[in-house]
Amino acid sequence: MPFLPHRPKLRQALILGAKLAFVVGAFYFVFQHISVGEVRRVLATAQPGWLALAAGLFALSKWLSARRLNYFFRAIGVPLTEGENLRLYWLGMYYNLFLPGGIGGDGYKVYLLRQRFPGKTTALVRALLLDRVSGVLALGVLAGVLLAFVPAVPLPWRGLVLAGVPVGVAASYWASGRFFPEFQPLFGRAGWLGLGVQGAQVLCAWAILAGTGTSSQIVDYLMVFLVSSVVAVLPLTVGGIGAREVTFVLGAQVLHLDAAVSVTVSLTFYLITAAVALPGAVFSFKAPAAPAP
C-alpha cells in the first residue's frame, strides 16, 4: 500500500488538530463566562515583585523534580551527573510546551538516553512513569489536606478525605513494591521530594494570588489549582493550555470564586511555566544528555 508510510504522520496531524480544536473550544467556553476586559483588569493590578517570587518558586519546584527523577535514573543504572540531568530535564520542559499532554518531553528524554544507555529503554520508561505517578500522589496528598480547610465542602466529607490520605500513601507504598520493586527503596525520598515539588507550585499559585491583591478564599483557589494540575497532565491539549482555564472556571462556579481572578491565576501560571522552560531551547541544539560515555 503506497500511502501506508504516510499514515503515522497523518494520524499525528489529526491528533494535533484535535488538541488545538480543544484549546480553541476551551477558551471559547472560558470567555463565555468572563470577558477579556475582566482578566485585563485583574492583570493590571498584578505586582511584579510577587510575580517574580512566583517564577522563582516554580523554578525551585522544577529543580526539585529534576533531582527526584535523577534518583530514579540512578536506581536503574543510568548515572547522569546532576548537571547533565538538569539540562535534560529543562530540555524536556521546553518540549512539553509544544507537545500534547505535557508528556512529550518524557518521550524525548527516552530517545536521547537510550542512545547512551542501549538496552535500558523499558527501564527508562518505567522510571519516567513512576516519576509521574509520584507527582500525582503528592498532588493527592496536598489536595486531601487542603480539602479539609475548604468550608464549601461538608464537614463529614472533609474528614473522610483527610483520613484517606494515609490510607492512600500506604496503598501506594504497597503498589510500588508490587509493580516497581526496583524503586521501592526510594519511596520515602521520592515522596518527600514530590511534596516539595507540589508544595513549591502551590506557593507559586499563592504568590500569584497575592500579586493580584486577592486575600479571601485562598485555600479554595489553591484547591482548584491542584485539581487543574492533574487535568493539565491529561492528553487533551498542548502544554496544558486551555485545560487549566476550564478547570478554574468550573471550580469558580462550584466554590463561588471570582472567575476573572481564577483565569488570571491560570494564565499567569502558564506564562511563568513557559518563561522558565524556554531556556531549555538552548539544549535542544546541544543534546546535553547524550555525550560520549
Side-chain angles (χ1 to χ4, degrees):
M1 298 180 64
F3 298 106
L4 188 58
H6 300 287
R7 286 185 178 178
K9 291 185 177 180
L10 176 61
R11 181 174 178 273
Q12 291 174 6
L14 290 173
I15 291 175
L16 179 60
K19 310 289 184 186
L20 294 175
F22 179 90
V23 172
V24 172
F27 277 104
Y28 177 80
F29 170 82
V30 166
F31 289 109
Q32 288 295 301
H33 292 80
I34 60 170
S35 68
V36 175
E38 289 178 290
V39 174
R40 189 183 299 118
R41 172 183 56 79
V42 176
L43 281 173
T45 67
Q47 301 176 38
W50 282 110
L51 297 184
L53 175 61
L57 287 165
F58 181 77
L60 172 63
S61 79
K62 292 293 144 181
W63 178 76
L64 291 172
S65 185
R67 292 208 64 180
R68 178 185 62 191
L69 181 58
N70 208 17
Y71 284 128
F72 290 139
F73 283 156
R74 290 173 180 174
I76 59 172
V78 177
L80 298 179
T81 67
E82 290 296 340
E84 286 175 328
N85 178 65
L86 195 61
R87 292 193 298 273
L88 175 66
Y89 195 88
W90 242 256
L91 177 62
M93 286 173 56
Y94 169 69
Y95 276 99
N96 281 343
L97 282 177
F98 308 107
L99 299 178
I103 59 175
D106 286 349
Y108 197 67
K109 290 171 194 171
V110 172
Y111 170 76
L112 286 178
L113 288 174
R114 72 180 182 181
Q115 297 178 50
R116 178 173 173 180
F117 302 97
K120 295 282 188 181
T121 301
T122 300
L124 286 166
V125 170
R126 286 171 61 81
L128 288 162
L129 174 61
L130 188 58
D131 184 63
R132 289 279 174 174
V133 170
S134 65
V136 173
L137 174 61
L139 281 171
V141 169
L142 287 178
V145 172
L146 279 180
L147 192 66
F149 299 94
V150 177
V153 178
L155 188 58
W157 284 105
R158 284 187 270 163
L160 184 63
V161 171
L162 190 59
V165 168
V167 176
V169 172
S172 299
Y173 180 77
W174 172 85
S176 69
R178 176 68 176 81
F179 300 106
F180 300 93
E182 68 272 39
F183 299 114
Q184 193 177 41
L186 298 172
F187 184 86
R189 184 181 298 176
W192 284 112
L193 281 172
L195 287 174
V197 170
Q198 302 304 336
Q201 292 196 13
V202 168
L203 289 175
C204 171
W206 167 78
I208 295 171
L209 286 166
T212 62
T214 303
S215 58
S216 61
Q217 294 184 279
I218 299 298
V219 174
D220 301 55
Y221 282 109
L222 296 180
M223 184 69 204
V224 177
F225 171 78
L226 287 172
V227 174
S228 76
S229 296
V230 176
V231 174
V233 176
L234 300 176
L236 301 173
T237 180
V238 178
I241 188 71
R244 280 188 185 275
E245 288 69 30
V246 169
T247 304
F248 263 97
V249 167
L250 295 176
Q253 292 176 348
V254 172
L255 298 177
H256 306 292
L257 305 175
D258 187 318
V261 170
S262 296
V263 173
T264 299
V265 170
S266 181
L267 289 173
T268 304
F269 184 80
Y270 178 80
L271 292 174
I272 287 173
T273 301
V276 171
L278 277 175
V282 174
F283 306 128
S284 67
F285 301 106
K286 296 182 179 180

